[in-house]
Amino acid sequence: MKTAETLHNTAELAELGQQLRVDSIRASAAAGSGHPTSSMSAADLMAVLLARHFRYDFDRPTHPGNDRFVLSKGHASPLLYAAYKAVGVIDDAELLTYRTLGSRLEGHPTPRRLPWVETATGSLGQGLPVAVGIALAGKRLDRTGYRVWVMCGDSELAEGSVWEAAEHASYEQLDNLVLVVDVNRLGQRGPTRHGHDLDAYARRFKAFGWHTIEVDGHDVEAVDRAYGEAESTTRQPVVILARTLKGKGVAAVEDREGLHGKPLKDADEAIAELGGPRDLRVRPPEPRAARALHAVRAGHLEPPRWDEGEKVATRDAYGQALVALGNARGDIVALDGEVSDSTRAEAFAKEYPDRFFECYIAEQQLVAAAVGLASRGWVPYASTFAAFLTRAHDFLRMAAVSGAGINLVGSHAGVAIGQDGPSQMGLEDLAMFRALHGSTVLYPCDAHQTARLVTTMAGLDGIRYLRTSRGGTPLLYGPDEEFPVGGSKVLRSAGREDRLTVVAAGVTVHEALTAADALDAQGIPVRVIDLYSVKPVDRLTLRRAAEETGCLLTVEDHREEGGIGDAVLDAFLDGRPVPRLARLAVRTMPGSASPDEQLHAAGIDAEAIMAAGRLLVEEGIAP
Amino acid sequence: MKTAETLHNTAELAELGQQLRVDSIRASAAAGSGHPTSSMSAADLMAVLLARHFRYDFDRPTHPGNDRFVLSKGHASPLLYAAYKAVGVIDDAELLTYRTLGSRLEGHPTPRRLPWVETATGSLGQGLPVAVGIALAGKRLDRTGYRVWVMCGDSELAEGSVWEAAEHASYEQLDNLVLVVDVNRLGQRGPTRHGHDLDAYARRFKAFGWHTIEVDGHDVEAVDRAYGEAESTTRQPVVILARTLKGKGVAAVEDREGLHGKPLKDADEAIAELGGPRDLRVRPPEPRAARALHAVRAGHLEPPRWDEGEKVATRDAYGQALVALGNARGDIVALDGEVSDSTRAEAFAKEYPDRFFECYIAEQQLVAAAVGLASRGWVPYASTFAAFLTRAHDFLRMAAVSGAGINLVGSHAGVAIGQDGPSQMGLEDLAMFRALHGSTVLYPCDAHQTARLVTTMAGLDGIRYLRTSRGGTPLLYGPDEEFPVGGSKVLRSAGREDRLTVVAAGVTVHEALTAADALDAQGIPVRVIDLYSVKPVDRLTLRRAAEETGCLLTVEDHREEGGIGDAVLDAFLDGRPVPRLARLAVRTMPGSASPDEQLHAAGIDAEAIMAAGRLLVEEGIAP
């Protein structure tokens, strides 16, 4: 077996590159799909990295000193899997299961299935932003000296998220971050904007504060020197711009258009042209000696408390609860999109500046950094306005593919923000977060509930979303009340006398209570359910309410699609009879107005609930 | 009244700047909220632009020769409205209605209410990308010589979308585009990354191919010269980086932190310090003489036809239908995110290269360009993978705030794409598009249906979304069948004998038909509804099916939240009894597998429909 010791001469490195090409072609041919040409361009870059620079113990992917590698051009997965074969963690038989049902070797790599993958890729322009998060963890928190290597394509440099990351990395002087760009000149459809003009990319990265290196990506000695230069660079992230040829090594496909994402037509001939299969093995350099992640402080959790009669905004409660949680758990970190004075994350930032990450107005990078931090075992809370989390929707989607455990907190939900108008109103956030696989969606209506949920969400799997409100609301619960995920609270009820159930969450809970008092006075007893757990939803309580009251009215400060109204339906999808349902939600495009005027204009205030409730109970129709 | 003729000396321009400051303070004070300090920094920039360079007839906002102005820092709306007062299109009384219920002067400007606003802003980093779309229209389509002026803040340069736009603008040599950056050094929470380091921004823009000008933003003569230099620059977009002070002119707030988005504490004193109110009027320079938009060709619409028995992918049908539509209507334009060979937009690109816009892998810019083109009267179809449209969610949200009429086409929907795996699967797109205000969501299952819907959507208002599939599906309809928006098709039924209704769309329609045949053979007559119009939904047909068959089973290649299952519920929200409901949707995280294996694994194939249908009909329970 060839090891790192024997793979130190140029010819052997080049041989390894050829092996990676051959295996990329073989895997794609077996699958009948995949991206061999995009793998072949980067094969020499990968070979030198593996043999000489990537300090990683493949037997111990959790080794705290391991470097980290992110294949941002996730479609080049054949190359990654060929590398796994070369280091001996998968065998040839598994390599040939590529893209088949049940195989770990998916079309695009995911950490759900493979322990050596840091984050799911396949949506271009996401690898670098996530790697920035990992590098931040390495530099500011873990401090075990690891380096983060990212390999991306040239096409994906058109994604703005790459430049959010470039800005963030240089500002934070992430000299533990190396971006390797496989400039093969050809995108999916055809040539990129800049072709092989490496200088064009270098100018951009240099202007953004990066150290740049240009290199022939097929000259293994030059590549080796470039990696060495990257490793010795300080106070700046490094980009290696490598001129490569798509399909390198096989004349029929080399540097040709129209061959993206297609297995080679004659794989056997191509393999022969590359010198046939090899069975070289490579052992990457050892990781730095490092202890397990530094112990994180574990203090006592003292959740904030408020006095009865206080009006407290749930965003304020969020800030204070996060400080308390940060005191109890040293693994809690916070990030914000330059609005921490509004989201109230600033309370945490002031208390724990070492664990706070200012991401400026770059929501994609905000979420990506959270994903990167989570991949290293930290528990991130990332906040901005609920409306602006839509900017990071694709990153959230990919975080779900990764199975990343991250907390998102969206403030300024709904029309209740008032004068600022629709651009600032989170009105689609519940729909977005509910549709993410494995997500949890929480929407508190008072400060004590918020504080409890902030703590609870830290321990959940997957993507956890907390929706907070701008304005103050009265306390409805005591400080010791518990709020299990998947639960709800019946805030008022006359038992089986109830003729209507109003289901609300957040600001509309308070409107519902007002309406219920008035309807009760008119002889219509009303049950009010606080549906603070929007996903998962409390099926039992909703079903009981349906049985006992016959009709449900949902009311939400959100668009009518995908929010609380739809969530309630989840309780009735088991084939049983569904109660009569009606829904109040934001159906218009708001302008500017006071919060009360907004709730009224949208038809989700107490008055609207009363009218709709009467109509439903007395006439059996919905507004 | 002072006019442009008299506002030519420095002192008068400075006076106009002071008036804009005073009126910004007055409007915010009257509202009790707003962003006077962010308005004051840009007041001189606005004054000089209005008086000397912005060629615009405020009485004729539709004048084809008008320059266009986009206030990307939409929170500085007081400045914009102060400018409207200075040009005489709103009066002082209206200025003081700022941010109140019913006022046109919203917290952030929108074209729904004001004819001089090109696009809604308020989500930062969106003004420039939309302006790129307008500038593309100006340069490549309208060709009436207008210039597009964008004013943005320095904080928002952290948004990646700005750099997508920067790349696009220089690549397209948009010398009719001028970006004015109000570098006031302070963001919402505190200082920006680069403070007053104009060079830092200049380096970045220069590297991206822009002509850069640095200027003192309070020196009206220098600003005037900068605008002049911008106007005389060719073959490059221009950025003017203006050093300014937030709150300029009022010592209590000038260049101070912690005063973002707050009315001045002592407005009267501040106004006095600025020299008191003025009533200067200004008339901007005349627009260039220009005819109405050049006549667009109107040919005959010959939709594509396919022969019975053919299997055609709906994405293929999209490409061919768009070509046919492009022939019939010269105002149809297409854009794609560098995957036109996959979305099939390439058919249009080949036929009408002048009306095709390659946006490379930059989905935010893709959607923003569509919004910009639509604002100039063009009818854009923007396509990429359905999954990657999530990248542009915030742009879509703001397009809805604008009321923009744009067509989005997402290909590669659902697990049915097969081997590529979850990163490439559109599984949340229906939820995202349904929740957008005023949207239309269409999801065809065969080629003829696709072709009809492609034509129909051109004539709708708001955001129209068409979801297409990767693989071929049999033809179910003839070429002359009509598919009204809000309709559906009952594909099979035994009338009142039916014991179950299966509601499907896209690929699952074909699975539903197979399952229905099998169930029928087992003595369970099944009605199958093709719900091609997901929003709005065909309430009458669904209600009739509910009444006649008693239970509905929805099946969709999408997450269970926010898609077809939830859409069906819309038919039953009028308080009437709801039928028994069950739902099949994608509940797992798929890996790689063949399309058929994927449908099976997700439990949305014919076999799963049969099993669920039997259970629902015979046992009254859902799987």
Side-chain angles (χ1 to χ4, degrees), chain B residues 58-59 101 149 185 188 199 209 222 393 449 463 473 532 554:
Chain B
F58 273 89
D59 296 327
L101 180 66
W149 303 86
R185 156 185 111 72
Q188 167 174 331
D199 288 348
H393 190 167
Q449 191 177 51
I463 292 170
T473 41
Y532 64 83
T554 62

Side-chain angles (χ1 to χ4, degrees), chain A residues 33 99-101 106-108 112-113 121-126 155 158-161 163-164 167-168 171 187-191 193-194 203-204 207-208 338-342 358-364 387-388 390-391 393-395 397-398 400-401 419-420 422-425 428 431-432 434-435 437 535 559 561 566 569-570 572-581 583 587-593 597 616 620-622, chain B residues 33 99-101 106-108 112-113 121-126 155 158-161 163-164 167-168 171 187-191 193-194 203-204 207-208 338-342 358-364 387-388 390-391 393-395 397-398 400-401 419-420 422-425 428 431-432 434-435 437 535 559 561 566 569-570 572-581 583 587-593 597 616 620-622:
Chain A
S33 70
R99 285 176 166 247
T100 58
L101 181 65
E106 297 180 76
H108 299 77
R112 281 176 179 266
R113 311 211 178 196
T121 51
S123 180
L124 294 173
Q126 299 208 12
S155 277
E159 285 285 8
S161 54
W163 301 100
E164 293 183 14
E167 185 77 56
H168 199 109
Y171 186 72
Q188 167 174 329
R189 182 209 41 76
R193 281 192 180 109
H194 302 295
R203 279 195 300 275
R204 286 159 173 76
F208 273 73
E338 218 265 288
V339 288
S340 59
D341 51 337
S342 286
E358 175 60 78
C359 295
Y360 295 89
I361 305 182
E363 294 79 10
Q364 296 185 97
F388 304 141
T390 57
R391 198 71 159 250
H393 190 167
D394 196 31
F395 281 79
R397 184 180 74 82
M398 289 301 297
V401 176
Q419 287 82 355
D420 272 338
S423 64
Q424 317 295 300
M425 294 171 173
E428 300 86 2
M432 176 175 78
R434 282 184 66 243
H437 180 66
K535 180 185 175 188
R559 293 285 170 210
E561 298 90 359
D566 283 349
L569 183 67
D570 285 354
F572 304 100
L573 287 174
D574 60 344
R576 76 176 60 198
V578 182
R580 282 186 293 134
L581 293 170
R583 174 185 291 180
R587 297 197 171 91
T588 56
M589 183 56 73
S592 286
E597 288 168 341
L616 192 62
I621 53 173
Chain B
S33 70
R99 283 176 166 248
T100 58
L101 180 66
E106 297 180 76
H108 299 77
R112 282 176 179 267
R113 309 210 179 197
T121 51
S123 181
L124 294 172
Q126 299 207 12
S155 278
E159 286 285 8
S161 54
W163 301 100
E164 292 183 13
E167 184 77 56
H168 200 108
Y171 186 71
Q188 167 174 331
R189 181 209 42 76
R193 282 193 180 108
H194 302 295
R203 280 194 301 273
R204 286 159 173 76
F208 272 73
E338 217 265 288
V339 289
S340 59
D341 50 337
S342 287
E358 175 59 78
C359 294
Y360 296 90
I361 306 182
E363 294 80 8
Q364 297 185 96
F388 304 141
T390 59
R391 198 71 159 252
H393 190 167
D394 196 31
F395 281 78
R397 184 181 72 82
M398 290 301 297
V401 175
Q419 288 82 354
D420 272 337
S423 64
Q424 317 295 301
M425 294 171 174
E428 300 86 1
M432 176 176 77
R434 281 184 67 244
H437 180 66
K535 180 186 177 187
R559 294 283 171 213
E561 298 90 358
D566 283 350
L569 184 66
D570 284 354
F572 304 100
L573 287 173
D574 60 345
R576 75 176 62 197
V578 183
R580 282 186 294 133
L581 293 170
R583 173 186 292 181
R587 296 196 171 91
T588 57
M589 183 55 74
S592 285
E597 289 167 341
L616 191 61
I621 53 173

Side-chain angles (χ1 to χ4, degrees), chain B residues 11-206:
Chain B
E12 284 167 337
L13 287 172
E15 273 294 288
L16 178 60
Q18 293 295 76
Q19 171 174 317
L20 297 177
R21 287 189 177 89
V22 168
D23 282 342
S24 296
I25 293 169
R26 291 175 63 237
S28 305
S33 70
H35 294 257
T37 57
S38 301
S39 300
M40 292 158 78
S41 58
D44 299 314
L45 295 165
M46 180 68 96
V48 180
L49 183 64
L50 267 191
R52 296 278 182 86
H53 300 274
F54 184 54
R55 302 182 63 168
Y56 193 90
D57 182 345
F58 273 89
D59 296 327
R60 292 182 57 200
T62 59
H63 190 300
N66 274 344
D67 280 356
R68 301 289 156 186
F69 178 74
V70 175
L71 183 68
S72 187
K73 46 179 292 181
H75 55 286
S77 55
L79 174 62
L80 186 68
Y81 305 147
Y84 290 163
K85 182 189 148 190
V87 299
V89 291
I90 69 169
D91 61 21
D92 198 63
E94 184 169 8
L95 180 70
L96 300 181
T97 66
Y98 179 50
R99 283 176 166 248
T100 58
L101 180 66
S103 172
R104 297 191 296 176
L105 309 185
E106 297 180 76
H108 299 77
T110 76
R112 282 176 179 267
R113 309 210 179 197
L114 292 168
W116 319 287
V117 173
E118 308 298 334
T119 188
T121 51
S123 181
L124 294 172
Q126 299 207 12
L128 182 64
V130 172
V132 164
I134 303 174
L136 284 168
K139 201 150 177 83
R140 289 184 45 188
L141 302 170
D142 297 334
R143 296 193 291 267
T144 56
Y146 58 77
R147 193 172 305 279
V148 187
W149 303 86
V150 188
M151 182 176 284
C152 79
D154 44 354
S155 278
E156 61 182 303
L157 299 183
E159 286 285 8
S161 54
V162 169
W163 301 100
E164 292 183 13
E167 184 77 56
H168 200 108
S170 74
Y171 186 71
E172 297 275 352
Q173 304 189 348
L174 296 180
D175 51 15
N176 60 339
L177 178 67
V178 183
L179 174 65
V180 183
V181 187
D182 174 30
V183 186
N184 66 21
R185 156 185 111 72
L186 292 172
Q188 167 174 331
R189 181 209 42 76
T192 60
R193 282 193 180 108
H194 302 295
H196 269 138
D197 182 1
L198 300 190
D199 288 348
Y201 298 116
R203 280 194 301 273
R204 286 159 173 76
F205 277 102
K206 208 170 290 195

Side-chain angles (χ1 to χ4, degrees), chain A residues 423-504:
Chain A
S423 64
Q424 317 295 300
M425 294 171 173
L427 285 169
E428 300 86 2
D429 53 322
L430 296 177
M432 176 175 78
F433 278 104
R434 282 184 66 243
L436 295 173
H437 180 66
S439 64
T440 302
V441 180
L442 306 169
Y443 182 15
C445 67
D446 95 337
H448 285 131
Q449 190 178 52
T450 306
R452 284 280 170 171
L453 293 175
V454 168
T455 299
T456 301
M457 64 198 291
L460 304 177
D461 289 328
I463 292 171
R464 297 84 80 159
Y465 176 56
L466 184 83
R467 186 185 217 221
T468 68
S469 300
R470 178 174 181 270
T473 42
L475 291 174
L476 295 179
Y477 301 103
D480 300 318
E481 182 100 16
E482 293 189 7
F483 301 95
V485 170
S488 69
K489 293 288 175 185
V490 177
L491 276 173
R492 57 170 290 157
S493 171
R496 290 187 168 270
E497 301 296 304
D498 294 332
R499 295 176 63 198
L500 167 71
T501 301
V502 178
V503 184

Side-chain angles (χ1 to χ4, degrees), chain A residues 104 118 196 257 270 291 314 416 428 445 449 469 522-523 576:
Chain A
R104 297 191 295 176
E118 309 298 333
H196 269 138
E257 290 187 43
R291 286 191 308 275
T314 53
E428 300 86 2
C445 67
Q449 190 178 52
S469 300
Q522 293 169 23
R576 76 176 60 198

Side-chain angles (χ1 to χ4, degrees), chain A residues 310-333:
Chain A
E310 274 190 82
K311 280 185 90 170
V312 185
T314 53
R315 60 175 172 147
D316 287 318
Y318 166 66
Q320 295 182 52
L322 195 63
V323 169
L325 186 62
N327 182 56
R329 290 180 55 165
D331 58 350
I332 301 290
V333 299

